[in-house]
Amino acid sequence: MMNTGSRHFERLSMVSRVTHDDEAADLEKAELERLHARALHDRTSVLVRGPAGWQLVQLRRLKEDDRTLLLKRVYAEPEDEQLGFLNKIIGRMARAGLKLSTVTIRFRDLVVEGRQLVKPSGTTSKGLLNKLQAANPLAKGRYMRQTNVIDGVSGVLKPGRLTLLLGTPGSGKSLLMKALSGRLAGEKTLKVSAAELTYNGEPLEAFVPERTAAYISQARGCGLGRAGQGQGLDEHYGELTVRQTLEFAARCQSNMRGKRVPGAGGCTHAWLSDSRCQLAPPGGVPRRVTAVCFMTASMVGGKTNLRVDIIIRTLGLDVCADTLATPRRPVGNTLLQVGNAMLRGISGGQKKRVTAGEMLVGANRVLFADEISTGLDSATTHSIVSSIKAATRLRQNTSLVALLQPTPETLDLFDDVLVLSSGKILYHGPRELVLPFFKSQGFACPPKKGAADFLQEVPTLADQRKYWAGEPSAYQFVSSQAFSDACWTHTEAGRAAAAELAKPFDASAAKEWDEDPLQRTPYGRSLAFLARSCLRRGLMLMPHQGKIHAGRLIQMLFMSFVVGTLFLQEPKGLQNGNVSESLVNANYMLGVLFFSCIMFMVGAFADSSMLVQALPVFYKQRTSRFYPSFCFALQVVLMRLPFCFAESWVWTFMVYFCVGFNLSARLLVFWAILFSLAAFTLTLFLSCAALTRNVAAASAIQATFLLMFSATSGFIISKANIPGGWNGVYWANPFQWDISALAINELTSPDWSDPISPGGPTIGEAALASRSMHSSYSYVWVAIFGWGLGGTLLNFAMLVVLLTVLD
């Protein structure tokens, strides 16, 4: 009896302690709500209960511990993984009367017209003479013929549904996706026309399709083709982690313009309304702090964003979130980062998920993915499609994915199937009804044949007969047009789509949306914000490029030591009245100055190769409207200028004191001339790289500039001996102005002020005259501010233009 009473007393004590702890926690929460009422009202902070009690989490500056705590609350239960928690959020919003904004794509009689080369009749590809004749653009009978690559297709892409696009290579899958995503607007060889091509009833000209619809290209490699057509799937900065890559994409793409809740960094009133999201209305929306934290934190802008973490978890990237997006190799217990595609990094499937994640963290509600399974095994493809399906369900995206020969398990993940052949849509409707449709046309899929392979082969002339299910004698080839007509007339999905396209789009549902899904502005953030984001990314990249910059500093130290010791303490001024010997010494000084200019021009050669390596990432992000070309050019130039600053000081201190130049304020002028030359050369060579987009071609142009500048600088051959036709090149040569400025800065100093004869010129002026150089100090300021600063700004403007207009 005593033991029973003791246990009963212990239970009462435990209940009392729990009650006391709950009361203390409630008091603690009330106190925090009183102290931080303004931040909680503006939704820049939330209260979360952690192991140590209630605590305030600042959403604009989300720390690692706070992020971990929020994610633990978000994924508290095993069923919350992948779609579990997200379905709870969607259900909660539905019960509260909130509707996510969606995009319905309607296209009717869409035609993409291209030009096809017709060779002269009678020519064959056999024999060298016939090949040359076929390649001759002026050959008789050779002409360009207009042809419809996409031939009058129609359909409706619904939000929240994942559609599979199937078709043999050459059927027009890529062109269809580019036409629907607005990526063919700048094409000169292709003409797009349609009776209707709208997003939510609005034509492509009414909004910015590049920001509304994300397009992932099937192309791989350097990515230097037409914009939006040549980007590789896995083009990312190898020095950044997966999380850093997605956070940068979220900062650039987050839509922060328009009417928003004050301090909510992009949240709409509907998302954060107390009366609709937090409080339980009649009918029962239970108050759940975790859901409120998620909906608030995932929408608030800042350096970090919980939406990025949710997308990382949804796409299955949490296992490599803090791993470099491209190559890094484990060595012992450390990770060695190498930053190029020659060494192993995260897997190919993970890279493609990162590419999809870049688009999904933004404001776009439409996703076009073109053959993202290239080079992947079936299991990885299934995992990627599962992730895209999860994101489609979460945000009610409109997703069209093209795959080549997907497995049956992957095919089962799709809601709809769109079969394309010879520019015609053969079938567009639910996945479950695609095989019955073709069976109704007399073609059956064999039991051991994959459905996707069957759908791709049945329209072709070579393979159609073997799938004929009727009498062999009754078989006749069924064209793509016949299949298309049957789909529109004999299937429920086809008739429903035709009826929907026959009437205007119903825009009444848009009044209840949380925000406009169509992006109206060219970029999601202001130019200043995007420039700061690019500069912040440049700062993150800078430590990973330390070996490159350290090598260049070592090169500068070594060469300055070589020059300083070769010309150690050269004699200055008039030596014992010997004019000839003094002029020889002056020429030695001029040689040092000439070599100094050459050194800084040669040092900028490597910058062009670094820019060419970064161009594929830039083109991909520029096409998706992450930022304008100006921001990227600013990042490239400003991240390099501090090292130019340091290198010019290293050269100045090592060479200036060893050679024995005049010790005065002229040292600062010496440094300013070299720094302005370094900045001018940097921007000039970066423009060469942006023009050629090829390392070898850029190096050839840079070498040409270097040789031409050197030959016409007035040092190798003096101005007096330069032929008259080349005088204009001499005066337009910035290299000449820098050498002349350095020479004037030194040879007009007191060290060279000894007159050759009473009342005659000084030895410094005589040395300048021997090279046909002027002695006016105004040439120094022209070199620094005119050619240095002005030329740098002109080259920078040219760099921005080239990055904008070229692909």
Side-chain angles (χ1 to χ4, degrees):
M1 289 293 296
M2 293 183 62
N3 291 337
T4 303
S6 176
R7 287 194 298 270
H8 179 67
F9 178 75
E10 289 178 357
R11 285 195 297 271
L12 290 177
S13 300
M14 185 177 299
V15 172
S16 176
R17 285 197 301 270
V18 171
T19 304
H20 177 73
D21 292 342
D22 291 340
E23 292 176 354
D26 292 339
L27 291 174
E28 179 186 11
K29 180 184 178 183
E31 182 66 17
L32 288 174
E33 288 177 344
R34 186 183 65 82
L35 293 175
H36 304 284
R38 180 61 182 273
L40 293 174
H41 178 267
D42 290 344
R43 302 303 175 199
T44 59
S45 302
V46 292
L47 290 176
V48 182
R49 187 169 186 175
W54 288 95
Q55 63 186 68
L56 185 75
V57 176
Q58 296 183 0
L59 301 177
R60 283 190 176 277
R61 299 179 181 273
L62 202 58
K63 299 179 181 179
E64 183 64 31
D65 294 340
D66 296 336
R67 180 195 291 114
T68 303
L69 176 60
L70 285 174
L71 288 177
K72 285 182 178 179
R73 296 298 303 274
V74 168
Y75 295 99
E77 304 295 336
E79 61 269 15
D80 290 338
E81 293 293 338
Q82 287 288 331
L83 290 177
F85 179 76
L86 305 179
N87 285 332
K88 293 179 181 179
I89 295 295
I90 295 173
R92 175 184 175 84
M93 294 178 62
R95 292 192 300 271
L98 285 177
K99 291 185 178 180
L100 281 175
S101 55
T102 58
V103 175
T104 300
I105 302 177
R106 296 156 51 102
F107 53 99
R108 180 162 51 89
D109 296 333
L110 175 63
V111 175
V112 178
E113 187 179 9
R115 290 183 293 177
Q116 183 180 26
L117 177 63
V118 179
K119 298 181 180 180
S121 58
T123 59
T124 64
S125 59
K126 297 182 179 180
L128 179 60
L129 183 61
N130 290 330
K131 290 182 179 180
L132 293 176
Q133 182 182 1
N136 181 15
L138 302 178
K140 184 179 179 180
R142 183 186 183 95
Y143 65 96
M144 301 298 293
R145 180 180 63 188
Q146 297 292 333
T147 181
N148 291 339
V149 187
I150 301 297
D151 191 8
V153 298
S154 303
V156 180
L157 296 178
K158 297 285 189 177
R161 297 185 67 83
L162 184 62
T163 303
L164 171 64
L165 177 57
L166 284 175
T168 57
S171 60
K173 299 192 302 295
S174 298
L175 278 181
L176 175 62
M177 301 182 84
K178 290 171 186 175
L180 295 177
S181 62
R183 295 315 198 265
L184 296 181
E187 278 288 349
K188 297 180 180 179
T189 59
L190 296 173
K191 180 182 178 181
V192 181
S193 60
E196 179 184 4
L197 177 54
T198 60
Y199 284 45
N200 289 347
E202 299 191 36
L204 300 184
E205 296 78 14
F207 56 95
V208 183
E210 292 86 356
R211 290 194 60 226
T212 305
Y215 174 69
I216 303 176
S217 170
Q218 64 172 317
R220 304 174 64 88
C222 65
L224 301 181
R226 285 289 307 166
Q229 300 178 31
Q231 293 86 357
L233 285 171
D234 48 5
E235 296 291 353
H236 305 286
Y237 279 103
E239 296 84 358
L240 298 181
T241 65
V242 171
R243 187 183 304 278
Q244 290 171 337
T245 301
L246 297 184
E247 285 180 349
F248 174 80
R251 282 196 299 270
C252 292
Q253 296 184 93
S254 56
N255 193 2
M256 298 297 181
R257 299 185 178 185
K259 187 177 180 181
R260 296 291 184 266
V261 175
C267 300
T268 59
H269 286 278
W271 270 94
L272 298 180
S273 171
D274 283 339
S275 62
R276 301 185 70 184
C277 277
Q278 293 189 52
L279 301 180
V285 179
R287 178 182 178 87
R288 186 181 179 189
V289 177
T290 305
V292 175
C293 292
F294 164 72
M295 289 189 288
T296 306
S298 65
M299 297 299 292
V300 170
K303 291 185 179 180
T304 56
N305 193 313
L306 190 61
R307 176 189 290 182
V308 173
D309 296 276
I310 299 298
I311 291 296
I312 287 175
R313 197 76 170 249
T314 303
L315 295 178
L317 291 170
D318 49 309
V319 295
C320 62
D322 296 302
T323 302
L324 296 180
T326 54
R328 78 190 284 183
R329 172 180 293 178
V331 179
N333 294 326
T334 63
L335 287 170
L336 176 63
Q337 161 246 308
V338 294
N340 60 67
M342 300 300 293
L343 298 177
R344 179 175 57 87
I346 62 177
S347 68
Q350 289 169 337
K351 292 176 186 177
K352 290 175 174 61
R353 290 181 200 164
V354 172
T355 302
E358 280 185 316
M359 306 304 170
L360 294 174
V361 297
N364 41 42
R365 296 299 176 87
V366 181
L367 176 64
F368 294 98
D370 191 1
E371 293 193 6
I372 55 175
S373 60
T374 304
L376 299 179
D377 59 86
S378 58
T380 305
T381 302
H382 183 275
S383 177
I384 294 175
V385 174
S386 299
S387 301
I388 294 178
K389 183 177 182 179
T392 301
R393 291 288 192 271
L394 164 65
R395 305 180 62 201
Q396 290 296 291
N397 287 346
T398 305
S399 301
L400 179 63
V401 179
L403 296 178
L404 188 63
Q405 295 179 327
T407 61
E409 294 78 12
T410 303
L411 180 62
D412 291 340
L413 296 174
F414 290 89
D415 304 305
D416 297 325
V417 173
L418 193 156
V419 183
L420 188 70
S421 178
S422 302
K424 294 283 188 180
I425 293 180
L426 279 58
Y427 173 84
H428 183 195
R431 170 184 50 82
E432 300 84 0
L433 302 179
V434 60
L435 293 181
F437 165 73
F438 281 97
K439 190 172 184 179
S440 67
Q441 302 301 309
F443 299 95
C445 179
K448 296 184 179 181
K449 185 72 174 182
D453 295 336
F454 164 76
L455 294 175
Q456 292 177 131
E457 295 176 2
V458 71
T460 62
L461 180 62
D463 298 319
Q464 189 181 95
R465 178 183 289 273
K466 63 183 180 183
Y467 298 116
W468 176 251
E471 293 294 332
S473 59
Y475 168 76
Q476 289 184 345
F477 178 75
V478 181
S479 65
S480 299
Q481 182 65 54
F483 279 122
S484 179
D485 295 339
C487 177
W488 284 97
T489 57
H490 297 161
T491 65
E492 182 179 350
R495 290 191 295 268
E500 184 172 352
L501 289 172
K503 57 184 179 181
F505 177 76
D506 183 11
S508 59
K511 299 178 181 179
E512 301 181 5
W513 288 342
D514 61 326
E515 59 182 351
D516 185 4
L518 305 182
Q519 305 304 316
R520 312 286 179 175
T521 57
Y523 302 99
R525 304 299 295 262
S526 64
L527 182 63
F529 182 89
L530 295 175
R532 289 198 306 270
S533 299
C534 288
L535 292 178
R536 185 181 294 116
R537 179 179 65 175
L539 291 175
M540 289 190 292
L541 291 170
M542 191 177 291
H544 302 283
Q545 300 170 348
K547 293 182 179 180
I548 299 174
H549 299 304
R552 296 178 65 165
L553 282 175
I554 292 173
Q555 178 194 36
M556 195 64 63
L557 283 169
F558 177 75
M559 292 308 301
S560 61
F561 172 78
V562 171
V563 174
T565 52
L566 279 176
F567 299 91
L568 187 63
Q569 295 299 316
E570 286 291 331
K572 295 177 288 185
L574 188 61
Q575 300 296 317
N576 301 321
N578 190 336
V579 177
S580 300
E581 182 180 352
S582 300
L583 290 178
V584 171
N585 293 333
N587 278 324
Y588 289 156
M589 291 289 189
L590 290 175
V592 173
L593 301 178
F594 176 79
F595 186 83
S596 298
C597 293
I598 291 289
M599 186 66 193
F600 277 88
M601 287 200 72
V602 173
F605 272 43
D607 295 301
S608 60
S609 63
M610 296 172 63
L611 175 62
V612 171
Q613 293 175 2
L615 282 179
V617 181
F618 162 70
Y619 287 138
K620 178 182 70 174
Q621 296 178 345
R622 185 197 65 179
T623 304
S624 300
R625 296 296 183 100
F626 278 38
Y627 46 78
S629 302
F630 168 80
C631 298
F632 177 74
L634 197 67
Q635 170 196 330
V636 173
V637 174
L638 290 187
M639 292 301 105
R640 177 58 191 148
L641 283 182
F643 295 96
C644 294
F645 181 90
E647 291 167 6
S648 57
W649 270 120
V650 168
W651 186 268
T652 298
F653 279 116
M654 292 288 291
V655 173
Y656 203 91
F657 291 103
C658 290
V659 176
F661 290 112
N662 180 257
L663 295 178
S664 64
R666 294 173 185 263
L667 179 145
L668 297 177
V669 177
F670 181 91
W671 166 82
I673 296 172
L674 292 182
F675 178 68
S676 65
L677 175 61
F680 175 86
T681 308
L682 169 68
T683 52
L684 176 64
F685 288 175
L686 289 178
S687 299
C688 294
L691 174 64
T692 60
R693 293 150 292 167
N694 181 274
V695 175
S699 299
I701 295 179
Q702 291 166 191
T704 302
F705 272 118
L706 176 61
L707 295 174
M708 184 181 66
F709 286 166
S710 302
T712 59
S713 64
F715 180 82
I716 296 177
I717 176 174
S718 64
K719 180 183 178 301
N721 298 324
I722 293 179
W726 287 93
N727 277 322
V729 179
Y730 169 84
W731 287 110
N733 184 357
F735 198 68
Q736 174 269 135
W737 287 89
D738 288 309
I739 293 176
S740 299
L742 291 171
I744 293 170
N745 182 61
E746 174 60 25
L747 296 179
T748 59
S749 67
D751 293 341
W752 298 87
S753 61
D754 299 329
I756 296 178
S757 60
T762 64
I763 185 63
E765 292 173 345
L768 291 172
S770 68
R771 291 283 182 176
S772 301
M773 295 180 180
H774 295 272
S775 58
S776 174
Y777 208 79
S778 60
Y779 279 76
V780 175
W781 308 123
V782 172
I784 295 176
F785 297 104
W787 286 101
L789 179 60
T792 299
L793 294 177
L794 184 63
N795 291 336
F796 180 78
M798 181 170 59
L799 173 63
V800 173
V801 171
L802 291 173
L803 290 175
T804 303
V805 302
L806 296 181
D807 301 314

